[in-house]
Amino acid sequence: MRPQLGLGVNLTPQLLQSIRLLQLTAPQLEMELRQALERNPLLEQDEPEVEAEEIEADARVESAAWDELPEPSFLSGGNTGGDYDDAASRIAEGASSDPRQRLLQSLSLQWNARDVAIAAWWLDQCDDRGYLESPLDELHLLGASTCNLDASELEIVRQRLLHGECTGVAAQDAGECLRAQLSMQPESSARTLGLRILRDHLDLLAVHDEAALAKSLKCDAADVRDAVALVMTLRAHPMEDTTPDDAGVIVPDVVAWHADGGWRVALNGRSAPRVRIAAHCERALADAPGDVSALRGLLDEARWLVRGVAMRNDTLLRTTQVLVERQRAYLERGDEAIAPLTLREVADAIGMHESTVSRITSGKFLQTPRGTIELKRLFAVRLEGAEVSGSAVKAMVKRLIDAEPAHAPLADDTIAGLLARQGVRVARRTVAKYRDQLSIAPARQRCRAVAFAKAS
């Protein structure tokens, strides 16, 4: 045998533990630390410092990550001024079991405080299923008198609720709820026909009389069957099955917020307990007589864990800080502003290997004013031959199609030309690829869909 020289890494138990800790998500780390506290008597839970608590509190308020919204005083006549943010200081802790409060929590990440308060008023007028409990005209009058707001302003917020993330909430009846849900589906002939059924023939749909529907709509029975099948995929009630599943709850690992003209980040200290070595146990062990090798083993284990968690948290914080700084335009303006960013660029910025950045960002979530997003989403591939990311171009394509004239849908080459005017040069096939990824039909099919809707 011939001797060979080579370089390798000795994967010690400490190094293996550090690598494993890097990959743990917030819930996994919490479970790991709680098990360690039960298993190792030399570990104890560390009480958070006042300064750390203040940082986390500021982060929660600035990012509008609210668990409960207080009763808006300006809606009850207590404040008609313009300061709607003071109520944030009275937010209660703990997750709500009320789906309406959970919806408000989510809206507070995207809407301004005034609109969230108006949305809270509308949700107070809804029953447990999410339907309005009184006729719409009466509610407009009630809102105008009690909230000192125009009926038009109230209705704008109701429409945003109706077509928002909990689509159909604040609907007047089942028909309006289903129409709102269907309007959010990708454009198709089945959707167009389904909207006609919901608008004009809800009674026939209720008894599943497809033959009568085909006759009334003067269309093919197969088309009616497709439209009815699409309608049947919708929720019967806006707030149906909205109880949160603890197993699917996303716990943010890091919080980002905007303050003093810049972006700040902090670890979500509430997601896992802080642990430390019990000082009195360490002192007692140092002076203990006899064989205490077993306890010294526990002490070494405790030291490795505390050091590993500190390294993990430091790496996560530094990585997130770079991601937020590089993608501040995305956080401020949205998908079209997301910049090209690679693992290597972030790794170089923090002085670590790409594999470390990959591990620390996998499965980790960042809480921002735009919502809670996965850290991996902040990486974006540069579009070949362009100075923008593919994700940004996809968002631009969607915006152009959303704003296109209904009677003249934009062809792919037209979209490419419009992007070129904005300084983004992409090929027609690139536009077609992103349009397909967005599940948007070609211009010819979109044109036919519009013509069919007019004819019907």
Side-chain angles (χ1 to χ4, degrees), residues 221-349:
D223 293 337
V224 169
R225 194 157 42 250
D226 291 341
V228 170
L230 180 59
V231 171
M232 296 305 292
T233 64
L234 307 176
R235 296 193 313 274
H237 307 300
M239 298 236 175
E240 187 176 67
D241 297 327
T242 54
T243 304
D245 180 4
D246 292 340
V249 170
I250 294 177
V251 179
D253 301 81
V254 199
V255 178
W257 71 101
H258 193 269
D260 300 326
W263 284 88
R264 301 181 184 179
V265 299
L267 295 175
N268 180 12
R270 296 177 62 186
S271 63
R274 294 179 175 89
V275 296
R276 66 183 178 190
I277 299 171
H280 64 282
C281 292
E282 191 172 15
R283 288 193 299 268
L285 186 59
D287 302 327
D291 183 10
V292 291
S293 57
L295 289 176
R296 292 195 185 281
L298 288 174
L299 179 60
D300 289 340
E301 180 184 320
R303 285 172 175 166
W304 295 342
L305 179 64
V306 171
R307 188 180 299 117
V309 170
M311 290 172 58
R312 173 214 184 255
N313 292 344
D314 178 69
T315 304
L316 178 58
L317 197 59
R318 290 165 58 200
T319 301
T320 307
Q321 185 70 58
V322 172
L323 288 170
V324 168
E325 288 173 356
R326 299 288 181 90
Q327 298 293 10
R328 62 180 300 165
Y330 161 75
L331 294 175
E332 293 169 3
R333 302 201 301 272
D335 290 339
E336 291 190 28
I338 191 165
L341 188 62
T342 64
L343 287 171
R344 173 167 292 184
E345 290 175 301
V346 176
D348 290 343

Side-chain angles (χ1 to χ4, degrees), residues 424-435:
V424 180
R425 300 190 177 277
V426 296
R428 182 201 61 78
R429 63 179 179 274
T430 303
V431 173
K433 178 183 73 173
Y434 289 142
R435 178 178 50 70

